[in-house]
Amino acid sequence: DCVTEVRPAATTNFEYGNFPDKPEMAVIHDFGTKGKDTITSLINWFTKARGDGTSAHFAVSGKRIVQLVSLKDRAYHAGKIGNNYIGIETDPAQDPETIESAKSLLKELKVKYGYQFPLIEHNQIMSTSCGDDVDLANYDITLVEPEKPVEPPQNAPEEVKVTLYDVLKVLVEKIIDWLKQWRR
């Protein structure tokens, strides 16, 4: 629902089918040099038939979220191993609007697949400068919301009343659990 436009990649730049029903990760790329490369140049690159055959599932810049390859098809974006993952190209400027749009996309993917994708930079899969502008922490969609304590009735005994200490203790425990899961 968050995709703003669909611009199909050239058929030589991806493979029909042969993409996992449950991809394990999403690869966050940056599409070039800050201030030089644009989403328009990236779309032009992916939509023209070329010998190198590269593509990604999505490209994100500002409020634009462009789908280039169907999630049923294998985009060629990160080598043999990485092509099993969803490919998301992001603006190398890594501005707040681009990051928020990418997070919206990741939230939609979480709803579609029923799980949150671990994120990886392209340069973590293979030797490349792609991804060197990306800080994956900016793309984290995990929301740590503390459980709201039940307000005791006004005339409740002291042992039933929830203290600020109790709330903070629960919040810290949840943050520690989340960090342990995130590091995996």
Side-chain angles (χ1 to χ4, degrees):
D1 290 337
C2 66
V3 170
T4 59
E5 58 192 286
V6 175
R7 300 286 303 272
T11 57
T12 57
N13 297 340
F14 70 96
E15 181 180 351
Y16 282 106
N18 198 21
F19 190 66
D21 291 333
K22 298 274 187 188
E24 295 175 20
M25 293 188 201
V27 181
I28 306 295
H29 302 267
D30 60 70
F31 56 71
T33 304
K34 182 178 177 180
K36 178 182 173 194
D37 297 305
T38 66
I39 192 169
T40 301
S41 61
L42 176 80
I43 291 167
N44 289 339
W45 185 257
F46 286 168
T47 57
K48 289 184 181 163
R50 298 173 326 280
D52 70 343
T54 55
S55 61
H57 291 97
F58 301 96
V60 182
S61 180
K63 292 185 178 184
R64 289 180 75 183
I65 302 173
V66 181
Q67 185 164 10
L68 297 142
V69 175
S70 167
L71 291 171
K72 296 177 185 174
D73 301 325
R74 179 181 299 276
Y76 297 140
H77 62 94
K80 283 187 171 192
I81 295 171
N83 290 341
N84 282 332
Y85 309 144
I86 292 174
I88 302 172
E89 292 278 354
T90 60
D91 193 309
Q94 296 294 295
D95 58 284
E97 200 169 58
T98 295
I99 291 169
E100 284 307 308
S101 293
K103 286 170 72 172
S104 293
L105 173 60
L106 290 166
K107 288 175 187 173
E108 288 291 325
L109 291 170
K110 179 179 179 180
V111 169
K112 175 181 175 42
Y113 288 99
Y115 56 92
Q116 182 171 329
F117 286 93
L119 304 178
I120 189 168
E121 296 169 15
H122 187 182
N123 58 20
Q124 292 176 289
I125 298 172
M126 58 196 304
S127 180
T128 177
S129 63
C130 178
D132 60 357
D133 295 317
V134 175
D135 180 356
L136 292 178
N138 292 334
Y139 292 87
D140 186 13
I141 61 169
T142 305
L143 299 175
V144 180
E145 295 181 20
E147 292 181 13
K148 294 181 181 175
V150 176
E151 291 293 325
Q154 292 297 335
N155 59 354
E158 279 299 311
E159 64 269 14
V160 176
K161 291 186 180 176
V162 177
T163 65
L164 178 59
Y165 172 79
D166 295 327
V167 173
L168 291 174
K169 182 178 173 186
V170 169
L171 179 60
V172 168
E173 289 171 351
K174 288 198 178 282
I175 290 171
I176 289 170
D177 288 342
W178 175 82
L179 286 171
K180 287 178 184 175
Q181 292 175 356
W182 183 77
R183 293 185 86 188
R184 292 184 197 150

